[in-house]
Amino acid sequence: MTGTTAGRADTATHRLPAWRAPAATRSNAVPAGAWWLWALGLATAASRTTNPLLLGLLVGVAGYVVAARRTDAPWARSYGMFIRIGLFVIAVRLLFSVFLGSPIPGTHTLFTLPEVPLPDWAKGVRIGGRVTAEQMLFALYDGAKLAALLICVGAANSLANPARLLKSLPGALYEAGVAVVVAMTFAPNMVADVLRLRTARRLRGRPTGGVRAVLQIGLPVLEGALERSVAVAASMDARGYGRTARVPAAVRHTTNVLTLGGLLGVCAGTYGLLAAEGAGYGVPLLVAGLLAAMAGLRLGGARSVRTRYRPDRWGVRAWLIAGSGAAVAAAMIRAGTADPAALHPGVIPLTAPVLPLWPAAAVLLGLLPAVVAPVPPSPTGFQEQV
């Protein structure tokens, strides 16, 4: 190696750490809103397709980012639960298709169930009968889309700190946000309690399966949840939860009109964007609704008497994380317009789904948080770098 080449290599080696993700600290933590925007972008992309290959790729992207950047906090262990819920949703969707039939016709009969005769007023409803491969495949695609949506939401639940999300909410939504955050942390804490109790029973040589074991584990879990609820209620009361400042009646009425009108505008605009014929009025309604809702929330914040301690700062890494999710959603919406057949594989006739290349490449943009987000400390005390 010549001197010039060695010098370039040394320079590259010195520059590399600046591009690598730093170790996570309290000061550089990613805002919870960035994780939620990233996950909602993936969920939006999942809602635009029934291609199982793209849905599997979206779930894989979300799972890789969770595995690479989740912490050891109680809420971070809830991702597996969302995967089980997704599989349960697929199973229920298939069972409904088997027993209640499907509007999808088919010629490949798998089996035939005894059909229950129904009265004339129940025309259009069928219980039992012929089950075809086409209707099962349609139900599988439909259930997989809903499961992918839930798993993407579960990824945000595993990565975002609920307390930091609460700090980012506007003052008008603070009380509702507290209730939502408490509800969001209830399930992960119960999962952590169950895992802890099962580990304790296993170490003592006691069975962890069966009805008796479930009952013996469930009682301490419910007792712990009740004690935690009482502690949370006392803490909220001590911190002044529910106390509001006095504002004029005109301000209150204006706030209500702006907030409710804005939310209705956002709902109507979003529906217009998602519907096939409403793209023309969807954007103006969405923008007007957002402006009205933001004005209402700002006015409503005057009733809140809370103080904000060290609000989250959105740095470059947070914008990259949120932007990657938005890019995946935008690319999938564009792909749905350009080539809808690739995103919705047909079931009549039966054909194997094909992976569209550029939408699949766009989904891989969702891996960006696994590179740019700060690396959380590992349970063993070592820090991994990507």
Side-chain angles (χ1 to χ4, degrees), residues 283-358:
V283 174
L285 270 179
L286 182 60
V287 173
L290 284 175
L291 292 176
M294 291 173 64
L297 292 177
R298 188 167 183 81
L299 280 177
R303 298 181 62 218
S304 176
V305 293
R306 71 187 181 109
T307 58
R308 298 182 64 185
Y309 178 68
R310 291 184 181 178
D312 286 334
R313 291 186 303 176
W314 281 63
V316 176
R317 297 181 187 278
W319 284 112
L320 286 175
I321 292 171
S324 66
V328 174
M332 200 62 72
I333 292 173
R334 179 72 181 90
T337 306
D339 189 8
L343 268 60
H344 300 280
V347 296
I348 302 174
L350 289 174
T351 54
V354 178
L355 182 67
L357 290 182
W358 75 264

Side-chain angles (χ1 to χ4, degrees), residues 16-31:
L16 186 57
W19 294 96
R20 300 175 74 177
T25 60
R26 185 181 293 271
S27 60
N28 66 359
V30 176

Side-chain angles (χ1 to χ4, degrees):
M1 181 180 295
T2 63
T4 305
T5 307
R8 290 177 180 174
D10 292 340
T11 303
T13 305
H14 288 298
R15 288 179 180 175
L16 186 57
W19 294 96
R20 300 175 74 177
T25 60
R26 185 181 293 271
S27 60
N28 66 359
V30 176
W35 285 121
W36 273 101
L37 288 176
W38 167 78
L40 290 177
L42 295 186
T44 303
S47 70
R48 307 294 294 189
T49 179
T50 55
N51 190 320
L53 301 179
L54 284 176
L55 292 174
L57 189 60
L58 283 166
V59 172
V61 167
Y64 181 80
V65 175
V66 170
R69 288 299 181 264
R70 73 173 173 181
T71 63
D72 200 29
W75 61 81
R77 304 170 190 166
S78 60
Y79 186 67
M81 182 184 64
F82 280 92
I83 293 178
R84 295 189 193 97
I85 293 175
L87 295 176
F88 177 75
V89 167
I90 294 176
V92 170
R93 183 67 180 87
L94 290 175
L95 285 177
F96 270 84
S97 178
V98 168
F99 291 105
L100 299 181
S102 172
I104 302 298
T107 56
H108 297 78
T109 303
L110 296 177
F111 52 88
T112 303
L113 295 175
E115 187 167 352
V116 178
L118 297 176
D120 293 337
W121 55 265
K123 282 184 178 180
V125 179
R126 179 170 65 87
I127 300 178
R130 193 166 63 98
V131 179
T132 64
E134 288 85 351
Q135 77 175 67
M136 294 297 290
L137 192 61
F138 178 79
L140 178 63
Y141 290 172
D142 204 32
K145 181 172 73 171
L146 185 55
L149 276 167
L150 290 171
I151 292 173
C152 290
V153 173
N157 205 27
S158 300
L159 293 169
N161 185 340
R164 300 186 76 89
L165 178 64
L166 184 61
K167 289 170 59 178
S168 304
L169 288 177
L173 298 178
Y174 181 71
E175 296 175 8
V178 170
V180 172
V181 168
V182 171
M184 287 170 58
T185 54
F186 179 75
N189 285 327
M190 284 195 68
V191 172
D193 289 344
V194 170
L195 294 176
R196 180 167 48 80
L197 289 172
R198 291 188 64 184
T199 304
R201 289 180 63 87
R202 191 180 302 112
L203 292 175
R204 293 172 183 169
R206 296 178 181 176
T208 57
V211 177
R212 187 175 180 182
V214 170
L215 293 176
Q216 291 178 348
I217 291 174
L219 186 60
V221 169
L222 292 178
E223 184 181 356
L226 180 60
E227 291 178 353
R228 194 179 299 115
S229 301
V230 173
V232 169
S235 175
M236 292 167 67
D237 183 65
R239 287 168 172 78
Y241 178 77
R243 299 172 191 169
T244 57
R246 290 186 177 181
V247 294
V251 175
R252 291 202 309 271
H253 297 325
T254 306
T255 301
N256 294 334
V257 170
L258 287 175
T259 305
L260 291 178
L263 291 179
L264 288 176
V266 169
C267 293
T270 305
Y271 177 79
L273 287 178
L274 295 178
E277 298 85 7
Y281 65 84
V283 174
L285 270 179
L286 182 60
V287 173
L290 284 175
L291 292 176
M294 291 173 64
L297 292 177
R298 188 167 183 81
L299 280 177
R303 298 181 62 218
S304 176
V305 293
R306 71 187 181 109
T307 58
R308 298 182 64 185
Y309 178 68
R310 291 184 181 178
D312 286 334
R313 291 186 303 176
W314 281 63
V316 176
R317 297 181 187 278
W319 284 112
L320 286 175
I321 292 171
S324 66
V328 174
M332 200 62 72
I333 292 173
R334 179 72 181 90
T337 306
D339 189 8
L343 268 60
H344 300 280
V347 296
I348 302 174
L350 289 174
T351 54
V354 178
L355 182 67
L357 290 182
W358 75 264
V363 170
L364 296 180
L365 291 175
L367 290 172
L368 188 61
V371 180
V372 301
V375 182
S378 66
T380 57
F382 295 96
Q383 292 179 350
E384 300 173 357
Q385 290 283 349
V386 176

